[in-house]
Amino acid sequence: MSWLDELDVGRGELDTACGGAELPPAAESVAYLRASRKPAVAQVLRAADREARTVVQPRCGVGGHAPMLGLLRTLRGARPGVLSVTIDAYTRLGRFGTARRVLDAEPVALNGYPLVAHGWRRGRELNEAVRVPLEIRHGSPDARVLFAVAISSGISSFEGGGIAYNLPYSKDVPLARSLRAWQRVDAACGRLAEDGVIVDRELFGTLTAVLVPPSISLAVTLLEAVAAAREGVRCLSIAYPQGGDAHQDVAALRSIRVLARRHLPASVEVYPVLHEFMGVFPKDLGTADALVRYGGLVARLGGAVKVINKTNQEAAGVPDGPANAHGIRTAARGVEDAAACVDLDEARVREEMYWIQREVTELVDPVLQGDSLFDDIAAAFRAGTLDIPFSASRHARSAVLPAREPGGAIRYLDPGALPFSPGTRRFHAGRLRGHRDARNLLEGITADINYFLTEEGRASTTSLRATGATGVRTP
């Protein structure tokens, strides 16, 4: 059985999705990847981890092929460690014919690169246009066809998972369906690993991107990681979204390796990744730059091997190439600043790590102790014992209500049906007591979502003091 067979998609279905253009034989794609002169993403991450470096990766994707080639070449000069091919919404949802029609009529109307419509030969052109390796970023509950075209294109990293690429993006895709689809992708990665091709599987911890408590993000990615490892995945990047409080974010990043050692086989490589702040971005360019730089700093302090950067154009929409290149350089400057500018309160970091890891354990242990991982995950979301805030999916209760304490850390104002112990509930209630009484609920949550808007200076280097970091020295 080949890696293509593992996807459990008929050859005819694949050819139809690809507009009649046949994919190369599975063995030919393996040979292409193995013969590549550029490093695979797993090799880049392994080298960065060994050298205690944090590589920077932008988000980038446009509809047309020539503009996408131009964008990748433009960003090459900013020296990213990995480059992205962000996929359009039609392709993410499996509407390959619509993506093809829009591509033919008005490619600028697409919000990403429709790789399936362009085909694997153009995918290889992208891959060969730059020295650094590429990753596919998308948001598909069922990514099997896209994965087949990506691997045929020689792309060595693929983001997503059955929970995090379903509940934040789709209204009514049952979890059982997305989990089984992603199981086939992971099984294909396992088969590729047996053939000597290590595909980096990045897990998207950002979820709904707004006020996501760290333990929810890490619980979801941990369950996806366990599922992937069981199928033979050998390289996992576990991503966490920057919340805004330096100590809490650093603690979450440092907890990734601890949780991985506890729940994953030692044979699986695990790399912590930080998504720079995904919430509402400041409009002021200087403040936005400070927030981008702050993200790089937090990534390095937390031991992230990779940081996905933002830009100073986030408040205006999709950033252009020069802004994205500037964002890469700005995030990299933050990474460099980490050792020179900040001494964290390590006691606070340890306290946050204790509570994050305790909460993750309380969330995932009941699921991992069951007999059927996927059935138990789906049942937990139905019962609300696993949950994510602000989800549009009818397959998540979204009964959890997060809020910020005065220093910016994200706590559980209402944990819904999450199976937290009385001690964990008391901890969160205590941290929010008094602060939440001063405002009504809607005003408070809105202010928490607009955290970096309502106090523009918060993102500046000086504001690190406001978020609790001590020993900050102005660079």
Side-chain angles (χ1 to χ4, degrees):
M1 180 178 284
S2 74
W3 67 269
L4 266 173
D5 296 326
E6 292 283 5
L7 292 173
D8 196 24
V9 180
R11 194 73 191 197
E13 185 180 348
L14 271 176
D15 291 345
T16 300
C18 297
E22 289 188 4
L23 294 176
E28 194 277 343
S29 296
V30 169
Y32 176 79
L33 279 154
R34 292 178 64 178
S36 175
R37 295 182 179 180
K38 64 193 294 182
V41 170
Q43 292 172 296
V44 170
L45 298 177
R46 197 177 301 139
D49 191 40
R50 184 172 57 246
E51 298 161 10
R53 291 186 289 110
T54 301
V55 300
V56 182
Q57 176 181 350
R59 297 173 177 82
C60 52
V62 293
H65 183 60
M68 187 70 207
L69 277 170
L71 178 58
L72 292 177
R73 287 168 175 151
T74 295
L75 299 180
R76 179 179 54 190
R79 304 184 66 182
V82 179
L83 278 167
S84 303
V85 179
T86 304
I87 302 300
D88 69 290
Y90 295 120
T91 302
R92 295 174 199 174
L93 297 175
R95 298 172 61 184
F96 306 119
T98 304
R100 189 168 294 106
R101 286 192 293 276
V102 176
L103 175 64
D104 292 340
E106 192 180 8
V108 294
L110 293 165
N111 63 346
Y113 185 81
L115 177 63
V116 175
H118 280 296
W120 63 274
R121 290 183 177 84
R122 285 187 170 182
R124 289 192 181 182
E125 287 182 26
L126 297 183
N127 189 45
E128 293 168 4
V130 287
R131 174 63 183 161
V132 296
L134 304 181
E135 177 180 42
I136 297 293
R137 316 188 72 85
H138 48 115
S140 304
D142 182 349
R144 292 176 294 167
V145 172
L146 178 60
F147 180 83
V149 180
I151 294 300
S152 300
S153 301
I155 295 174
S156 59
S157 180
F158 201 76
E159 187 187 38
I163 305 170
Y165 261 16
N166 178 353
L167 299 183
Y169 289 99
S170 300
K171 180 71 175 177
D172 193 15
V173 176
L175 267 172
R177 186 188 305 170
S178 59
L179 287 166
R180 296 295 178 191
W182 277 96
Q183 182 185 28
R184 302 321 314 159
V185 169
D186 288 332
C189 291
R191 178 66 59 173
L192 284 161
E194 292 176 2
D195 292 337
V197 174
I198 302 299
V199 177
D200 168 54
R201 284 279 292 107
E202 183 168 331
L203 305 177
F204 181 67
T206 297
L207 301 175
T208 46
V210 178
L211 287 180
V212 177
S215 55
I216 284 183
S217 169
L218 297 187
V220 167
T221 51
L222 184 61
L223 291 171
E224 292 178 334
V226 169
R230 289 182 181 180
E231 298 301 325
V233 171
R234 299 270 296 278
C235 179
L236 285 167
S237 295
I238 296 183
Y240 163 79
Q242 182 183 7
D245 175 73
H247 292 91
Q248 188 177 47
D249 290 333
V250 166
L253 285 168
R254 292 181 184 176
S255 292
I256 288 173
R257 292 184 194 269
V258 177
L259 293 166
R261 284 195 295 271
R262 192 177 298 166
H263 293 282
L264 298 174
S267 57
V268 177
E269 300 174 73
V270 173
Y271 301 109
V273 173
L274 178 73
H275 285 265
E276 291 198 327
F277 188 67
M278 297 281 279
V280 185
F281 235 70
K283 294 179 181 177
D284 176 75
L285 296 182
T287 308
D289 276 335
L291 183 52
V292 173
R293 186 177 176 188
Y294 178 28
L297 184 151
V298 167
R300 184 62 255 157
L301 290 171
V305 174
K306 187 174 76 174
V307 56
I308 313 295
N309 73 278
K310 283 285 192 171
T311 77
N312 62 19
Q313 289 185 348
E314 300 300 326
V318 178
D320 58 27
N324 215 335
H326 178 70
I328 296 169
R329 295 188 180 97
T330 305
R333 178 67 190 279
V335 169
E336 294 167 2
D337 286 346
C341 303
V342 176
D343 297 316
L344 285 174
D345 180 345
E346 291 293 338
R348 278 198 57 197
V349 173
R350 286 193 297 273
E351 181 188 26
E352 293 288 350
M353 288 181 69
Y354 168 79
W355 286 105
I356 289 170
Q357 292 170 28
R358 173 172 169 164
E359 292 161 21
V360 171
T361 298
E362 291 177 0
L363 290 172
V364 304
D365 272 10
V367 179
L368 294 176
Q369 289 166 3
D371 297 327
S372 173
L373 180 60
F374 293 162
D375 290 343
D376 292 332
I377 289 173
F381 273 100
R382 281 196 300 274
T385 53
L386 285 175
D387 203 355
I388 61 175
F390 311 119
S391 173
S393 172
R394 62 186 61 193
H395 300 283
R397 286 196 175 191
S398 287
V400 172
L401 190 59
R404 291 187 190 273
E405 65 171 65
I410 300 172
R411 307 297 182 194
Y412 292 92
L413 181 62
D414 183 347
L418 297 180
F420 284 150
S421 63
T424 298
R425 289 172 179 264
R426 282 195 299 272
F427 167 74
H428 286 272
R431 288 302 182 103
L432 294 173
R433 188 172 296 120
H435 169 59
R436 307 308 306 178
D437 295 340
R439 298 176 293 186
N440 70 44
L441 182 62
L442 181 59
E443 288 177 343
I445 297 300
T446 302
D448 289 343
I449 290 172
N450 294 332
Y451 186 60
F452 286 107
L453 277 185
T454 51
E455 297 183 40
E456 295 262 321
R458 202 190 297 274
S460 69
T461 304
T462 302
S463 74
L464 284 174
R465 296 187 181 92
T467 62
T470 60
V472 179
R473 301 183 292 277
T474 303

